[in-house]
Amino acid sequence: MDEVAPGVFVATAELYVTTTTVVAGTDGGCLVIDPAVTVAELDELASWLSATGLRPVAGWSTHPHWDHVLWSPELGDAPRYAAPAAIGIAGEMRDDIIAGAERAAPGLDLSLVGRMQPLDAPVIPWDGPEARLIVHDGHAPGHGAVFLPDSGVLIAGDMCSDIEIPLLDTVAKDPLGDYRTGLERLASVPGVRQVVPGHGHVGDAAELRRRLALDAAYLDALAAGKPADDPRLTGDSAAWMRDTHQEQVRYFER
Ligand SMILES: [Zn+2]
């Protein structure tokens, strides 16, 4: 676990460079955001928490994709929340979510996968540093980033990555518009000092600006039907991401 700001810890899983964020609260309670990914990694997280004297008192899932709705028995039975729109999709897509989790992280307790309750509130209700929610669509319905104003940490979910291009929700009515609105909402959060993407590496405020600009340029290229000149998209990029890029190009060519 890396302490990226006082009381804010980030672990990075092997698969997709997926991050887990833990925010220390009062009296040994902590908030766990998007714990990931494998059984071994979740075990390691639980061991680290108990060795550090932290106990999950709340969980948050940034969005309803399988790698962001995981949990393990060792993390306890704290309430786990997500935005209402995310809960709706998580219910509709439950079979896909379970299949994704089973395929990539066999052995997880599937009864705990995707078991969040809807939270329609400006902040996560817990006895710890204020955790403001920034909910929007774009990557997925009800995508909820978390901003910790005390430490200036923005937990961005699957937005603002240094290694992934914008991945759009192409079944939405206005995928580009939704994504742009999401970027604007994140760009307008005042006082961000560090950004923690769901996949990739922690960056500072300047790095957040760079990623927001890259994402906007990528969307502009898609909308214009021009080839994307994006440093995250190279011959060495993951095959799935190059494929998704091609699908997104084809989608906007229609
Ligand atoms: Zn995602």
Side-chain angles (χ1 to χ4, degrees):
M1 279 271 180
D2 289 328
E3 190 167 19
V4 300
V8 184
F9 304 89
V10 174
T12 306
E14 222 163 284
L15 185 70
Y16 309 143
V17 199
T18 307
T19 64
T20 299
T21 303
V22 170
V23 185
T26 46
D27 296 332
C30 69
L31 165 66
V32 180
I33 301 171
D34 288 359
V37 167
T38 60
V39 171
E41 285 163 335
L42 293 182
D43 280 353
E44 215 175 297
L45 170 66
S47 310
W48 181 87
L49 288 172
S50 75
T52 312
L54 290 172
R55 163 182 47 84
V57 292
W60 176 254
S61 283
T62 58
H63 65 286
H65 288 162
W66 74 263
D67 49 334
H68 299 265
V69 297
L70 305 177
W71 202 256
S72 78
E74 289 73 25
L75 293 174
D77 55 3
R80 300 160 55 195
Y81 305 104
I87 298 287
I89 295 294
E92 281 172 36
M93 305 292 289
R94 180 153 184 89
D95 290 352
D96 290 341
I97 288 174
I98 295 292
E102 269 187 311
R103 197 167 43 238
L108 287 170
D109 182 339
L110 298 175
S111 71
L112 294 174
V113 173
R115 294 297 184 211
M116 301 82 66
Q117 45 182 290
L119 177 65
D120 188 5
V123 297
I124 295 174
W126 82 302
D127 191 13
E130 185 180 328
R132 281 183 207 158
L133 296 172
I134 302 126
V135 177
H136 55 81
D137 300 323
H139 172 70
H143 186 287
V146 180
F147 179 57
L148 309 169
D150 297 344
S151 50
V153 176
L154 174 67
I155 298 110
D158 279 5
M159 304 286 285
C160 309
S161 172
D162 58 325
I163 59 169
E164 289 185 356
I165 54 170
L167 302 169
L168 280 70
D169 180 18
T170 48
V171 298
K173 249 191 240 159
D174 182 11
L176 273 175
D178 288 348
Y179 208 101
R180 285 186 169 127
T181 302
L183 290 177
E184 281 161 22
R185 301 276 309 277
L186 295 172
S188 65
V189 175
V192 177
R193 296 201 285 276
Q194 308 238 61
V195 59
V196 182
H199 305 281
H201 305 91
V202 178
D204 62 11
E207 174 62 12
L208 172 62
R209 296 292 141 198
R210 188 187 75 90
R211 294 180 195 178
L212 289 167
L214 273 182
D215 287 349
Y218 177 87
L219 298 181
D220 289 346
L222 265 192
K226 290 191 187 139
D229 178 22
D230 193 301
R232 296 167 295 193
L233 214 45
T234 67
D236 297 331
S237 305
W240 70 263
M241 191 169 73
R242 281 182 284 136
D243 291 348
T244 304
H245 167 64
Q246 289 308 333
E247 282 165 26
Q248 293 186 153
V249 167
R250 281 195 297 274
Y251 175 86
F252 288 101
E253 274 171 357
R254 291 186 316 181

